[in-house]
Structures are given as C-alpha cells and as structure tokens.
Amino acid sequence: MFRAFPLRTTKEDVLKEMRRWVIMTFGLFINAFAWTAFLIPSKIIGGGLSGISTLIYYMTDIPVGVVYLIINILLVFIAIRILGASFGVKTIFSVLVLGGFLSLLQGLIHEPLVDDIFLSAVLGGLLAGAGIGIVFNQGGSTGGTDIFAMIINKYRNISPGRIILYFDIIIISSSYFVFDSVERLVYGFVTMAIVAWAIDMIMAGNRQSTQIFIFSKYYEEISKELNEHINRGMTLLDAQGWYSREPGKIVLVVTRKHEMPHVLRIIKSIDPDAFISVASVMGTYGKGFENIRG
C-alpha cells in the first residue's frame, strides 16, 4: 500500500517539505513570467504545452492559461498512474499555479518587455528553462511534454532537456502555418535550444558531485568529523610516500558540489597542512546519490 509520508513526521521534515513547495512556486512564476513578458507578446512559439496553448491563443483568442489548464487535466492522470501519487499531487499543484500565473500575467502584460525579438527569444528561453529546471529539481512537473520527459528519465539516463527538445520540434514547426513566417519559426527554435540548455544546467548543478582525496596523518579525526557533519561515507586507501617510504592512509570521499566548502573547512580545522585533491565527477550512483536506471 502506498504511503505518501512517513508515520512519524518531525518539524524539520515539515519545514523541508514546505520549502520544496515554495521553491516550486517560485520556479512556476519564473516560467510564467518568461512566457507572458517575452515569448507570447513577441509571437514566439517556444515549445511544450505552453507553446501549443500560445498557438491556440493566436488562432482563437482563448487565453493561454485557460487552454493550458484544460489540456493538462487529462495529462495529469498519466503522471499519477505511472510516476506515483506524490508526483501527481505536485503536478496538479504546478498545473493550477502555472495556469493561474499565466492568466494573471497575460492580463497585466500586453507588450514584450524588450523591443528586440531576438533578445525576447533569448531572455524568454533562459527564464522558461530555468523555471522548469527548478520545478524538476523539487520532484514536480509543469505538465504537458514535461510529463513524458520525466517518465522517460525515470527509467533511462537521458537528459530531460534533450527529450523535451525532440517533442518541441513538431510544436514549433507548426507555428509556420499560424504566422506564415520563417523568421518566427527560427526564433522559436532558438528559444527551444536555450530552454533545453537552461534545464540541463539547472538540473546538472543540483546533481554535480566532487571526488575528494585527502592526504593527512590525521585521517582518523578527519574521517570521523566528515562522517558526523556531512553524513557521507568514506574509503581509506593504503598509500606509501615515494620520498619518505613511510606508509599512510588516503581518505576518499564523494560529496555533492555544494557540500565541498563545508568539507574543506572541516579538514582545515583539523589539519591546515593537509594535501587535498578535488575532481569533478560526471556521475555518481548509489546510496545518497542517483539510482542506476536502464
């Protein structure tokens, strides 16, 4: 039987969950602002369900937010069935909030914030992609083609940005039949590429790991402190100095990139003369990191 939350919930767990919802809301606002302030008034069709909604808006005058909500109601059930109830709750929340933001902001913003259409494509793409990436990092979805991207990413190590890019090619190509403009079509593809890049950058930044080798005679104290304060496991490697021929130990620890400054502070407080080697890691799989998919 599915249980969305543990039986015992601490205050820290509640605050952490609230923080995730607030961050998701912020990401949704950024995405809606990108569309209503740059893309929609400039007649640039980016991609995804927002792009489809924009096409329908220019054909029927039905507000983008309304079309977005109607289509997403059906797609949400797919997310609930395949990705789980907790994902479905966040998807429903995201769809309602984003649809509300789109309707509200489109009613307030009637002209693009910049006159240059290329600049609108770049700024709109960056903000739209950043907003989606923020929502993805919190385990949610903005609906539409994002649902399909998250489903595939659940089982395969394929970047969500790349998946969305493939879906968007057909959507953006359709804009030619609405605006009869090759220029608008090109700007749509520029936006699509920037959105995909921004999503990957946001998500990669959250998942980046570092591999740290620590050479110190105080390896026991360092290992104990690191285990206690950053909750990461470590590996001790046997070593021997080339010049001194004295045996020693090397501490190997893999952490998230944002944890590295804390690790360095702990090492410095114990052994300021420690020799440290830090390297970026392409991917880290296992307990505390990513699951192997495929």
Side-chain angles (χ1 to χ4, degrees):
M1 180 178 177
F2 177 80
R3 186 172 68 243
F5 301 100
L7 293 177
R8 298 180 62 184
T9 304
T10 65
K11 182 179 179 180
E12 183 179 350
D13 293 333
V14 173
L15 291 176
K16 186 180 295 185
E17 189 65 20
M18 289 177 61
R19 178 175 176 271
R20 293 173 70 90
W21 289 90
V22 170
I23 294 175
M24 279 179 55
T25 303
F26 176 69
L28 294 168
F29 177 81
I30 291 178
N31 183 267
F33 180 77
W35 278 93
T36 55
F38 299 104
L39 302 180
I40 296 175
S42 298
K43 296 184 179 179
I44 299 174
I45 306 302
L49 191 53
S50 297
I52 295 175
S53 301
T54 302
L55 283 174
I56 295 175
Y57 165 69
Y58 277 108
M59 291 188 293
T60 65
D61 286 331
I62 300 175
V64 174
V66 175
V67 178
Y68 179 86
L69 283 171
I70 293 174
I71 298 177
N72 259 305
I73 289 175
L74 296 176
L75 293 178
V76 162
F77 290 104
I78 299 176
I80 295 175
R81 185 175 180 84
I82 297 178
L83 299 172
S86 61
F87 182 91
V89 170
K90 289 182 178 178
T91 303
I92 293 172
F93 172 82
S94 298
V95 167
L96 293 176
V97 172
L98 182 56
F101 280 150
L102 286 170
S103 299
L104 175 64
L105 294 177
Q106 189 178 11
L108 297 175
I109 304 174
H110 304 287
E111 297 292 334
L113 296 189
V114 293
D115 295 329
D116 187 276
I117 187 171
F118 178 75
L119 192 56
S120 289
V122 172
L123 292 176
L126 283 173
L127 290 175
I132 294 174
I134 291 172
V135 175
F136 276 3
N137 276 339
Q138 303 306 314
S141 166
T142 55
T145 55
D146 299 351
I147 294 176
F148 296 105
M150 294 301 287
I151 290 173
I152 296 174
N153 183 250
K154 179 179 175 67
Y155 300 104
R156 292 288 184 270
N157 293 315
I158 305 175
S159 96
R162 188 176 299 276
I163 298 169
I164 293 173
L165 185 145
Y166 294 149
F167 277 112
D168 289 349
I169 289 176
I170 298 175
I171 298 171
I172 295 173
S173 298
S174 301
S175 67
Y176 177 79
F177 302 101
V178 177
F179 301 120
D180 193 24
S181 170
V182 175
E183 183 183 59
R184 301 286 175 181
L185 183 65
V186 172
Y187 286 129
F189 281 114
V190 169
T191 301
M192 176 188 70
I194 295 174
V195 167
W197 177 83
I199 292 173
D200 285 346
M201 289 300 100
I202 294 292
M203 297 194 71
N206 184 64
R207 295 180 178 178
Q208 275 188 341
S209 301
T210 55
Q211 180 175 270
I212 306 173
F213 287 96
I214 307 165
F215 302 79
S216 172
K217 59 183 178 180
Y218 302 105
Y219 61 87
E220 289 189 3
E221 293 88 339
I222 291 174
S223 299
K224 181 179 179 181
E225 287 296 310
L226 291 178
N227 181 258
E228 182 177 339
H229 289 93
I230 67 168
N231 196 29
R232 294 290 184 190
M234 275 142 287
T235 300
L236 292 180
L237 306 175
D238 291 324
Q240 184 181 43
W242 169 254
Y243 181 78
S244 65
R245 299 296 179 176
E246 294 182 358
K249 296 287 185 180
I250 300 174
V251 180
L252 168 61
V253 58
V254 178
T255 70
R256 293 296 191 188
K257 192 170 184 179
H258 65 83
E259 296 173 329
M260 188 180 68
H262 191 193
V263 172
L264 297 179
R265 284 194 296 269
I266 291 175
I267 297 172
K268 183 179 179 180
S269 67
I270 298 173
D271 184 6
D273 297 322
F275 184 83
I276 306 167
S277 174
V278 179
S280 295
V281 179
M282 290 291 294
T284 309
Y285 304 93
K287 186 176 180 180
F289 293 94
E290 311 304 321
N291 294 321
I292 299 176
R293 297 183 290 262

